[in-house]
Amino acid sequence: MLFRSAHGEFPADAIPAPEISLSVLSDLRPLGQIHESFIIAAGRDGLWIIDQHVAHERILFEQVMKQRAAGRVEMQRLLMPLILQLTPEQQIDYARIADELNVSGFETEPFGNRTIAVKAAPANVGAADLEKILYEILEIAESELRGASLDDLRRGICASIACRAAIKINMRLDTAKMEWLLRALAATDCPMSCPHGRPIAMHYSTREILKAFHRI
């Protein structure tokens, strides 16, 4: 006597073709988070794991680049100017990129010997990150002397702003915030990698999942 498997078979017409378009990102449905750092989402073809920090970094990077190109980067004035001490090398780098800083949303000016005062910053940058981001930008400016282009410098400034302003790991997100993040990521020009080249998402297709469970 033959017994039919109690496990059943997965409907063949429910298995999407292997080819996948990035347009599926707009249909992702968040299921939750792993360690309050990675969003788990279901899509038309399988399961996605999205790094929430670098996803938001990509979103902000493209926003800042577009605002910069249009000459209208959103700024916030500081209640008290931030005073930064510079090395002789950093002072030279600052003098070279001061105009780029201003166009990118920073209001700065020399303040004594090897010191600058920061009076305003891009709207998304918190006060706690401001000092770190400016020193990062000065490092980028130093690398420009070693062959990087002015366009690389501009992209580096925007990438630093986006990285410091982005949602952090170990941060709980509610469903509405995760849904917004996934929709905004799907609307970017390059949703699969952050400005520094790190991957944003991992995808496990329905076919891969079924094979792993010996369903096909």
Side-chain angles (χ1 to χ4, degrees):
M1 182 176 182
L2 297 177
F3 292 93
R4 178 175 295 184
S5 170
H7 298 292
E9 295 183 0
F10 200 80
D13 59 358
I15 306 174
E19 297 80 13
I20 187 167
S21 168
L22 292 181
S23 64
V24 302
L25 291 175
S26 60
D27 294 329
L28 293 185
R29 176 170 55 87
L31 304 176
Q33 289 174 285
I34 298 177
H35 300 305
E36 299 182 351
S37 300
F38 303 93
I39 297 172
I40 306 300
R44 278 182 275 164
D45 181 23
L47 192 70
W48 292 73
I49 303 176
I50 298 96
D51 184 320
Q52 63 194 39
H53 170 71
V54 292
H56 196 209
E57 185 179 342
R58 164 55 64 181
I59 295 164
L60 293 177
F61 172 74
E62 294 194 9
Q63 287 179 353
V64 174
M65 287 286 287
K66 289 174 183 176
Q67 289 175 2
R68 190 193 181 289
R72 56 171 190 271
V73 176
E74 297 180 13
M75 300 172 63
Q76 58 184 354
R77 297 199 66 80
L78 305 182
L79 294 177
M80 293 289 291
L82 173 66
I83 308 302
L84 294 184
Q85 298 289 331
L86 306 180
T87 65
E89 293 78 11
Q90 288 173 330
Q91 186 176 28
I92 294 171
D93 293 332
Y94 167 74
R96 292 174 51 253
I97 68 167
D99 290 342
E100 288 296 329
L101 285 173
N102 290 336
V103 174
S104 299
F106 297 93
E107 183 182 335
T108 66
E109 62 182 25
F111 189 76
N113 185 36
R114 294 207 302 269
T115 307
I116 61 172
V118 185
K119 297 183 176 180
N124 290 324
V125 177
D129 290 320
L130 188 51
E131 183 174 342
K132 295 176 183 177
I133 192 174
L134 284 166
Y135 283 133
E136 282 180 4
I137 290 171
L138 289 172
E139 287 184 12
I140 296 169
E142 183 182 358
S143 71
E144 192 217 340
L145 288 173
R146 298 193 295 267
S149 67
L150 182 58
D151 185 60
D152 289 335
L153 171 63
R154 290 169 178 167
R155 289 179 60 86
I157 291 173
C158 292
S160 291
I161 293 171
C163 183
R164 291 297 176 180
I167 292 168
K168 304 298 186 285
I169 61 171
N170 302 316
M171 180 179 290
R172 183 182 296 277
L173 304 178
D174 60 24
T175 300
K177 187 69 172 181
M178 288 189 283
E179 289 175 344
W180 171 85
L181 191 66
L182 295 177
R183 288 196 304 269
L185 177 64
T188 62
D189 295 328
C190 187
M192 297 305 289
S193 64
C194 82
H196 299 100
R198 293 190 299 272
I200 290 175
M202 296 174 61
H203 173 232
Y204 298 92
S205 71
T206 304
R207 189 174 296 272
E208 289 176 297
I209 295 170
L210 290 174
K211 283 184 176 179
F213 284 103
H214 298 172
R215 291 286 185 176
I216 58 173

